């Protein structure tokens, strides 16, 4: 365990240094990542920058400047996004498509579902899917209630402003994932730290891939322990039921996908959703749920998922053949990036999609992706959001921002959008 701790502490040190350099470091000046390539990750507060909306209106599939000689396309239209995400045989997600570019090596492959094609993807998803059915997830509901209540109790004891990111948004999914995977709670701090760096492109693609390697090394050790003594969590269940069908590296990759797909994303949703509430206090009554009718909370959460779409881009797709999509010729080997957040603002979904409307009937949004790579933990995320928001506003009905809303610090360049901090006053 000592060697694991030393690797984790070394990783934390590098992350801390990177965060300290953030304010004075202009990524747009890096020759390795051209500014145009970063455009899909740029926002103005909670909204995609206006330029992305103009691109969607005129060229829902447009050329995108990428480094290392890669020919890229950006998809911003809703119908076009579904068309690309639904083409399984025409596009590849396999990690090997990245090997050889910008020093990426095969041993940096994080495994899991996101960077896998059928039949590997099909086999792994078949093993994992039963653990994410509502029937299986329902066993977590009482524990999620406890986790939320415990965090609110801890917040209530604070003297002065509370950082809603650190005290509420981050620990709830962190502890839930520990419960789901069957990982000891004492490891939760490491899990929280290990889930952030891969999505932050401020240090370039190499830093993100390095974070994946660190995470997998950590999870390899956890898998080995589970293999020796399987618990009742997801890892233990997979080992007991399918141990002969999956090796340790594949298990670590699946655990890594669950960790990163269900921790940082849900934490960002909880924080940004709370910010939406704090900017319009009339919404407090909408989500309290005192009358026992949860339809209003359901609509609120689905609209938040669409409006915020914290996972800004889908996993990259690589064209396996020459093809035409929505009248655009895409050549074999081209990389296609689907902007989920911009597609979710497309007018084909309804009226005034650039605005948040808590009464809007749920749409077929792409916040969890589409097709075979749709997020397998979507229902778990919904459970956490539907539990946490009502509990928060019922416990702290006078909660308000401790800073000017215009001074909230958002992440600059991250695949998963979020805040650095969200200080609030509770009474």
């Amino acid at each position: 365990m000592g060697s694991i701790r030393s690797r984790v502490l070394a990783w934390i040190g590098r992350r801390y240094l990177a965060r300290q350099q953030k304010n004075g470091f202009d990524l747009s000046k890096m020759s390795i990542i051209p500014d145009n390539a970063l455009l899909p990750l740029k926002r103005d507060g909670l909204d995609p920058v206006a330029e992305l909306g103009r691109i969607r209106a005129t060229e829902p599939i447009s050329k995108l400047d990428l480094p290392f000689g890669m020919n890229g396309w950006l998809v911003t239209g809703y119908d076009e996004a579904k068309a690309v995400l639904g083409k399984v045989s025409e596009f590849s997600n396999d990690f090997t498509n990245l090997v050889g570019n910008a020093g990426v090596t095969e041993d940096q492959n994080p495994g899991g579902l996101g960077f896998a094609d059928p039949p590997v993807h099909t086999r792994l998803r078949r093993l994992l899917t039963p653990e994410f059915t509502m029937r299986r997830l329902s066993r977590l509901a009482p524990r999620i209630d406890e986790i939320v209540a415990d965090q609110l109790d801890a917040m209530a004891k604070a003297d002065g402003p509370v950082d809603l990111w650190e005290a509420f948004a981050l620990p709830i999914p962190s502890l839930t994932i520990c419960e789901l995977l069957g990982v000891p709670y004492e490891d939760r701090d490491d899990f929280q730290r290990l889930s952030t760096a891969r999505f932050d492109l401020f240090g370039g693609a190499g830093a993100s891939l390095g974070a994946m390697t660190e995470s997998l090394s950590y999870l390899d050790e956890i898998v080995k322990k589970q293999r020796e003594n399987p618990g009742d969590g997801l890892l233990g269940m997979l080992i007991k039921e399918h141990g002969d069908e999956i090796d340790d590296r594949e298990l670590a990759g699946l655990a890594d996908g669950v960790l990163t797909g269900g921790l940082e994303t849900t934490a960002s949703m909880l924080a940004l959703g709370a910010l939406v509430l704090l900017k319009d206090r009339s919404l407090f009554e909408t989500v309290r749920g005192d009358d026992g009718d949860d339809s209003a909370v359901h609509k609120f959460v689905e609209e938040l998922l669409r409006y915020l779409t914290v996972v800004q881009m889908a996993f990259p797709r690589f064209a396996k053949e020459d093809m035409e999509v929505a009248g655009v010729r895409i050549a074999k080997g081209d990389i296609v990036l689907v902007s989920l957040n911009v597609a979710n603002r497309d007018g084909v979904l309804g009226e005034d999609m650039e605005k948040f409307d808590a009464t809007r009937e749920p749409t077929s949004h792409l916040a969890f992706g589409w097709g075979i790579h749709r997020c397998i933990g979507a229902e778990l995320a919904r459970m956490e959001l539907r539990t946490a928001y009502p509990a928060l506003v019922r416990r702290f009905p006078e909660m308000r921002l401790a800073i000017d809303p215009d001074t909230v610090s958002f992440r600059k360049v991250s695949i998963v959008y979020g805040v650095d901090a969200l200080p609030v006053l509770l009474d």
Side-chain angles (χ1 to χ4, degrees), residues 63 70-73 91 317-320 329-336:
K63 287 298 297 292
M70 292 185 286
N71 194 37
W73 299 90
F91 286 103
R317 265 66 174 173
F318 292 86
K320 296 164 66 174
R329 295 292 300 173
I330 295 175
K332 180 179 179 180
D334 286 0
I335 183 172
V336 180

Side-chain angles (χ1 to χ4, degrees), residues 153-414:
D153 287 344
M155 288 168 58
K157 297 175 183 177
D159 183 17
V162 173
D163 182 357
L164 212 58
W165 166 255
E166 290 284 352
F168 175 78
L170 187 58
I172 289 172
S174 174
L175 291 170
T176 299
I177 291 297
C178 283
E179 185 79 24
L180 175 69
L181 289 177
V183 173
Y185 290 153
E186 56 265 26
D187 288 344
R188 65 185 180 274
D189 289 339
D190 294 336
F191 264 57
Q192 291 171 356
R193 297 183 182 102
L194 283 167
S195 80
T196 301
R198 72 188 53 224
F199 298 120
D200 185 355
L201 296 186
F202 217 89
S208 179
L209 288 168
M212 293 182 191
T213 302
E214 293 281 356
S215 180
L216 285 169
S217 296
Y218 179 76
L219 290 166
D220 278 339
E221 297 296 328
I222 291 177
V223 166
K224 289 176 182 177
K225 290 183 178 180
Q226 288 283 323
R227 183 76 78 170
E228 295 171 359
N229 186 24
D232 295 327
L234 185 146
L235 288 174
M237 294 290 287
L238 286 174
I239 289 169
K240 284 184 282 190
E241 296 179 9
H242 307 285
D244 295 336
E245 302 175 54
I246 188 168
D247 60 33
D248 285 1
R249 186 55 188 260
E250 288 178 324
L251 270 172
L254 290 179
D256 182 68
V258 171
L259 164 64
T260 57
L263 201 168
E264 186 74 10
T265 53
T266 304
S268 291
M269 273 299 303
L270 284 169
L272 292 180
L275 179 58
V276 171
L277 281 166
L278 292 163
K279 294 175 76 171
D280 182 359
R281 291 186 55 82
S282 68
L283 294 172
F284 274 44
E285 290 304 314
T286 301
V287 301
R288 283 181 62 90
D290 291 336
D291 58 3
D293 180 7
D294 61 0
S295 61
V297 175
H298 172 67
K299 289 181 181 179
F300 175 79
V301 167
E302 290 305 306
E303 177 68 350
L304 273 184
L305 288 165
R306 179 202 68 81
Y307 178 73
L308 296 173
T309 311
V310 297
V311 180
Q312 305 204 79
M313 290 193 302
F315 282 93
R317 265 66 174 173
F318 292 86
K320 296 164 66 174
E321 58 190 54
D322 294 345
M323 72 185 81
E324 184 174 299
V325 181
V328 176
R329 295 292 300 173
I330 295 175
K332 180 179 179 180
D334 286 0
I335 183 172
V336 180
L337 299 177
V338 176
S339 176
L340 300 175
N341 62 328
V342 182
N344 273 342
R345 302 290 186 96
D346 196 327
V348 301
L349 278 169
E351 296 182 359
D352 296 325
M353 302 308 289
E354 295 290 350
K355 298 179 181 178
F356 177 82
D357 180 359
T359 66
R360 194 190 305 275
E361 290 297 325
T363 61
S364 297
H365 60 72
L366 304 177
F368 295 113
W370 184 263
I372 67 167
H373 286 282
R374 183 180 181 274
C375 177
I376 199 169
E379 294 310 315
L380 176 60
R382 286 184 167 115
M383 285 175 60
E384 294 175 78
L385 298 177
R386 291 171 187 165
T387 300
Y389 290 130
L392 178 67
V393 299
R394 287 197 297 264
R395 184 66 178 273
F396 303 114
E398 303 302 320
M399 181 179 60
R400 62 198 185 279
L401 278 172
I403 58 175
D404 187 313
D406 293 334
T407 65
V408 172
S409 176
F410 296 96
R411 292 178 192 161
K412 302 297 187 296
V413 182
S414 180

